Amino acid sequence: MEPMNFLLLMDDEHTQKMMGCYGHPLVKTPNIDALAESGTRFESAYTNCPICVPARASFATGRYVHEISAWDNAHPYEGEPPSWGHRLQEAGVRTASVGKLHYRNAEIPAGFDEQIIPLHLPKGGVGDIFSAVRDEKGLPPREHPEWMAERIGPGDSKYIAYDGQVTDMACEWIARQATEDGERPWALFVSLTCPHFPFIGPPEFYDLYPLEDIPLPRPHPSGGYDWHPWIAALHECAPYDDYFDDHKRRVALASYFAMISFVDSNVGRILKTLNESGFKDNTRVLFASDHGDNLGERGLWGKSTMYEESVAVPLIVSGPDIPRGKVSRTPVSLIDLYPTALDCGGLLAGHEEEPLHGDSLFRIANEPDEREREIFSEFHALGARTGMFMVRRGRYKYIHYVGYEPELFDLEDDPEERHDLSGSPAHQSVLSALEACLLRILDPEEVDKRAKAEQAALVERHGGRDAVIAIGNSFASPPPGESEYGE
């Protein structure tokens, strides 16, 4: 495609279906809906790891988590292998980031000419080593699981204030490009922290969602839903739902909806500045999130699962040469962001020698649907007793748990993933085919052992299991200049 400016907009922990353009009956996202109408929305889009730091390392590099040892929130991107930003820099594209990166620190060569108010790992770049404790003694329970149910409702938070700053500075940066060097192409990564926990919604948006209108998350163990044994171990480690009642569930969801509407307002401000600065006709825009959140469904909160609430993300592209009002049913993932950035810079054709897992989302948007395209995700972090892997192909999703029975879902007949087909005699050929697909990508047992070995080595470097547990876990990384997480 013709080289153009690239505006990548990302929010954090945004469950795909929680938007108007994805069919949610309550969540109000008029600006993002308009972006989808002006471009192409991907119906089946996924993160390659349902937790922040590994997901961001993966889409920065176009590599899977196991290839770059980005196992958890203490194994961040550190400048190698080269990111899409590095590739654009080499071609003379002006690059910048505003907001959350979640890399080691601002000193690493991340591929940006400038990092504007970047959010990186907490604890001086150390991160959440607690979640790397995955040895034979078992998973230590998370500290203060009650916070998930307590830090909710209308109000202000450090994340809300930070996202306001991010939006202001993104608008200023875009406007400045129109006056500094209008001929030089640019790429801007704008990364917001909402709707990441804590679920505190700006009052003007919270008031849009009366509690009596908020449906309770379903299914739930209290109604007879049975956890998969791997999921039961996750809940034992992070028993967030134990501190919720139905009222708190509604308050948390209303707050989450409010945060999404707040994100939407910020996206609207940025897109308005883009258009007013004269860049509408030579800029391609991509909106996505790094992962989702379970939001009480199945009695789970946070991410860390391969169910749609956690692993599916919104993904929209818009701009010149992109079909308008299209819904692509080709499965895609965040691994596709790397070749997409290269394509926007006119560089994809020059990198045939570089093996890429993904493909340009701009190209995919212009092609007929390829529903059998294979998508891969993996998880080795918070609450993972063993490695967890996902393959999506066609209508089926296969979830592989090392040491446990798998799960298989038909997402056409069962989009809410209520009926595990792994034990169905009629689906054994599907199960075998998807397992074979996984084995072509990696050896699950070998990767699980390697992840645990590297995590154990990190724990030892920080004093050993007891010392790391005594330090405690992180719930969310604080904005720059703050020592506390974003309450």
Side-chain angles (χ1 to χ4, degrees):
M1 301 184 85
E2 180 185 348
M4 289 195 179
N5 301 322
F6 184 39
L7 175 59
L8 171 55
L9 304 172
M10 179 167 282
D11 64 0
D12 197 323
E13 204 165 302
H14 188 160
T15 293
Q16 183 194 78
K17 61 186 176 184
M18 300 299 186
M19 290 204 323
C21 60
Y22 277 93
H24 198 279
L26 297 179
V27 180
K28 297 171 176 62
T29 51
N31 295 296
I32 300 174
D33 295 350
L35 183 70
E37 187 59 33
S38 72
T40 296
R41 175 175 64 85
F42 293 92
E43 182 179 76
S44 301
Y46 294 92
T47 184
N48 301 104
C49 183
I51 197 167
C52 292
V53 172
R56 290 168 180 268
S58 180
F59 71 67
T61 61
R63 309 289 184 90
Y64 292 136
V65 163
H66 68 275
E67 295 178 305
I68 55 176
S69 296
W71 305 117
D72 52 46
N73 280 357
H75 284 85
Y77 181 56
E78 300 193 56
E80 289 289 341
S83 70
W84 55 263
H86 289 116
R87 299 307 191 202
L88 294 179
Q89 281 181 317
E90 292 168 2
V93 176
R94 181 189 297 114
T95 63
S97 70
V98 189
K100 181 174 182 177
L101 288 174
H102 235 188
Y103 302 160
R104 176 69 73 192
N105 53 47
E107 284 67 54
I108 68 164
F112 299 109
D113 300 339
E114 53 183 329
Q115 296 181 25
I116 302 170
I117 56 171
L119 188 160
H120 288 294
L121 256 60
K123 302 178 182 177
V126 172
D128 184 22
I129 304 175
F130 192 98
S131 62
V133 179
R134 300 174 61 226
D135 55 30
E136 66 281 355
K137 294 182 180 179
L139 301 172
R142 304 288 285 179
E143 291 185 330
H144 300 296
E146 71 278 4
W147 285 358
M148 188 73 74
E150 291 178 352
R151 304 191 177 191
I152 58 176
D156 197 9
S157 75
K158 293 171 184 175
Y159 277 1
I160 292 169
Y162 177 60
D163 280 1
Q165 288 182 289
V166 169
T167 301
D168 288 344
M169 293 185 176
C171 290
E172 292 171 6
W173 193 94
I174 292 170
R176 193 164 62 246
Q177 306 318 299
T179 60
E180 289 188 353
D181 186 357
E183 297 302 316
R184 185 183 175 194
W186 53 261
L188 178 66
F189 178 24
V190 182
S191 185
L192 304 166
T193 54
C194 293
H196 192 289
F197 170 86
F199 298 148
I200 297 173
E204 66 270 30
F205 295 107
Y206 184 87
D207 291 343
L208 298 173
Y209 302 103
L211 294 187
E212 61 270 20
D213 294 342
I214 306 297
L216 291 171
R218 292 288 183 264
H220 193 271
S222 64
Y225 177 81
D226 291 328
W227 282 319
H228 183 281
W230 191 101
I231 298 295
L234 168 67
H235 178 263
E236 185 178 345
C237 172
Y240 302 133
D241 194 67
D242 291 354
Y243 300 90
F244 280 88
D245 57 25
D246 284 351
H247 173 73
K248 287 184 176 180
R249 291 184 180 96
R250 288 192 168 98
V251 171
L253 287 172
S255 304
Y256 184 83
F257 296 171
M259 295 168 79
I260 291 175
S261 291
F262 172 61
V263 166
D264 181 81
S265 72
N266 289 322
V267 168
R269 288 176 56 200
I270 295 168
L271 294 178
K272 183 173 184 288
T273 300
L274 182 79
N275 294 340
E276 291 176 346
S277 300
F279 290 119
K280 181 178 180 180
D281 294 333
N282 65 343
T283 303
R284 295 191 182 98
V285 180
L286 189 155
F287 175 83
S289 193
D290 58 352
H291 52 74
D293 190 291
N294 292 294
L295 295 173
E297 297 200 24
R298 300 177 176 82
L300 302 169
W301 298 82
K303 39 271 186 181
S304 310
T305 76
M306 291 298 173
Y307 301 128
E308 291 289 287
E309 297 81 31
S310 171
V311 77
V313 296
L315 208 160
I316 297 164
V317 293
S318 180
D321 304 320
I322 296 171
R324 294 176 59 88
K326 179 177 178 178
V327 177
S328 174
R329 291 175 172 81
T330 299
V332 296
S333 75
L334 296 185
I335 210 86
D336 294 309
L337 294 192
Y338 184 102
T340 300
L342 297 188
D343 195 17
C344 198
L347 305 176
L348 194 57
H351 282 263
E352 289 89 349
E353 78 287 353
E354 182 177 359
L356 298 175
H357 294 301
D359 197 357
S360 168
L361 294 163
F362 304 138
R363 188 202 68 77
I364 295 172
N366 278 281
E367 296 289 334
D369 290 342
E370 185 186 342
R371 297 198 182 197
E372 295 298 310
R373 188 173 190 245
E374 296 172 354
I375 297 299
F376 170 75
S377 188
E378 62 188 298
F379 186 76
H380 309 273
L382 190 163
R385 182 173 285 178
T386 60
M388 173 176 59
F389 306 89
M390 181 203 83
V391 173
R392 166 77 193 270
R393 187 173 73 186
R395 64 193 295 165
Y396 293 104
K397 178 198 283 187
Y398 169 74
I399 306 175
H400 183 101
Y401 304 93
V402 172
Y404 295 86
E405 293 299 314
E407 289 183 296
L408 178 69
F409 298 102
D410 182 338
L411 296 180
E412 289 188 14
D413 288 348
D414 179 28
E416 301 299 316
E417 299 169 296
R418 303 297 191 248
H419 307 292
D420 175 18
L421 301 174
S422 63
S424 163
H427 291 86
Q428 291 309 296
S429 62
V430 174
L431 191 73
S432 297
L434 292 179
E435 182 182 19
C437 175
L438 175 65
L439 294 175
R440 286 195 298 271
I441 298 171
L442 50 64
D443 177 337
E445 284 74 17
E446 185 276 327
V447 168
D448 182 47
K449 290 178 182 177
R450 179 157 54 89
K452 289 177 176 175
E454 294 183 14
Q455 288 168 320
L458 177 68
V459 170
E460 284 305 308
R461 290 198 298 272
H462 287 268
R465 176 187 174 95
D466 292 343
V468 167
I469 293 174
I471 293 170
N473 57 259
S474 297
F475 260 80
S477 298
E482 301 285 353
S483 59
E484 305 261 341
Y485 83 106
E487 72 271 27

